[in-house]
Amino acid sequence: MADPSWQGVDEYLCSKLLAADPVLDAALASSNEAGLPPIAVAPNQGKLLHLLVLSIGATSVLEIGTLGGYSTTWMARALPDSGRLVTLEFEPKHAAVARANLERAGLAGRVEIRVGRALDSLAQLAEEKAGPFDFVFIDADKENTAAYFDRSVELSRPGSLIFVDNVVRNGAVADASSTDAQVLGMRAFLDAAAEDARVEVTAVQTVGSKGYDGFALARVNPR
Ligand code: SAH
Ligand code: DHB
Ligand code: MG
């Protein structure tokens, strides 16, 4: 399915528009060496997240799905020194790799990694009244996306943005007969978001070095 030109165009765009970045390169290299799956966002998507966080002047970010801390690094770099990013990760090994990467990036002081099932960590954050978060990036187990989105809105404020990765899954999202649990998870999320009066949502399909996928972007409405 993947067209070889997608990779070539991404290489062109990234070489043209993204500065050389040894810290981000090192985060990917150490993730690979540790055997983490190569599923971090593409560099140009990472920069999109960075620009969105910057654009809204966010001081607090919530991430669901840390992996090796690659997307975390892009977003945390958009925060002021006094800003805070909380990232949720189930796998202790992934969290350990991310911790080392964030320390190397000089970002450990503004990033808190919470290890455990994200649904539990989100309940804990609500209990602590840890919100509101200005920006949320949802990128964990796709089956739970609708629940993550609901909790994220609860932990947000009017004007907060919620970015959901991997919505299109090679086009499978539009297949009403799909039995794939991840696709069903994304369809359940879109069903819920479409009916959710708390937010306005769009979704965009993308191609690139990570294949054919897409994202949704929601803005939390005034109350
Ligand atoms: N955002 C990262 C990629 C995340 S990959 C980046 O772009 O760099 C998805 C991550 O979600 C994996 O590390 C996986 O271990 C984690 N994950 C899967 N199920 C989870 C759960 N129930 N709770 C928390 N994290 C989970
Ligand atoms: C997968 C997960 C992701 O978050 C992603 O961006 C790409 C692939 C996966 O689980 O296959
Ligand atoms: Mg993803």
Side-chain angles (χ1 to χ4, degrees):
M1 173 103 198
D3 181 320
S5 73
W6 300 348
Q7 177 81 33
V9 172
D10 254 1
E11 282 167 14
Y12 168 72
L13 295 174
C14 291
S15 68
K16 183 105 320 218
L17 300 173
L18 276 63
D21 200 319
V23 169
L24 285 170
D25 293 346
L28 287 183
S30 80
S31 298
N32 287 335
E33 276 156 31
L36 272 49
I39 57 174
V41 293
N44 42 352
Q45 187 182 337
K47 190 164 180 181
L48 174 62
L49 293 168
H50 177 87
L51 292 174
L52 288 170
V53 172
L54 268 183
S55 295
I56 62 168
T59 60
S60 56
V61 172
L62 173 63
E63 177 177 62
I64 307 175
T66 315
L67 193 64
Y70 183 78
S71 53
T72 320
T73 299
W74 273 111
M75 294 188 290
R77 282 174 168 180
L79 290 171
D81 285 342
S82 59
R84 171 177 185 238
L85 187 154
V86 177
T87 183
L88 312 182
E89 174 54 52
F90 177 70
E91 295 287 346
K93 178 177 154 182
H94 297 184
V97 172
R99 197 168 288 116
N101 284 334
L102 291 160
E103 268 162 27
R104 193 182 317 101
L107 295 166
R110 66 180 86 148
V111 178
E112 180 190 350
I113 307 174
R114 295 201 178 194
V115 182
R117 292 173 61 241
L119 283 173
D120 296 336
S121 300
L122 288 164
Q124 183 67 38
L125 288 168
E127 173 94 4
E128 294 169 16
K129 302 199 190 308
F133 292 95
D134 302 318
F135 188 91
V136 184
F137 179 44
I138 300 178
D139 189 25
D141 48 324
K142 311 310 169 191
E143 295 85 340
N144 281 317
T145 300
Y148 295 154
F149 185 79
D150 174 67
R151 307 306 186 272
S152 297
V153 176
E154 290 294 312
L155 286 163
S156 299
R157 55 153 176 89
S160 291
L161 295 181
I162 304 175
F163 189 111
V164 182
D165 198 24
N166 307 117
V167 168
V168 173
R169 311 310 307 229
N170 248 316
V173 72
D175 176 4
S177 64
S178 176
T179 55
D180 180 296
Q182 300 194 345
V183 173
L184 290 170
M186 281 304 168
R187 288 177 63 88
F189 153 63
L190 291 168
D191 285 343
E195 298 294 317
D196 192 332
R198 300 172 298 173
V199 291
E200 281 298 328
V201 194
T202 189
V204 173
Q205 52 185 336
T206 57
V207 295
S209 58
K210 301 286 170 169
Y212 171 26
D213 213 320
F215 62 84
L217 183 66
R219 179 177 184 271
V220 178
N221 288 328
R223 299 205 217 282

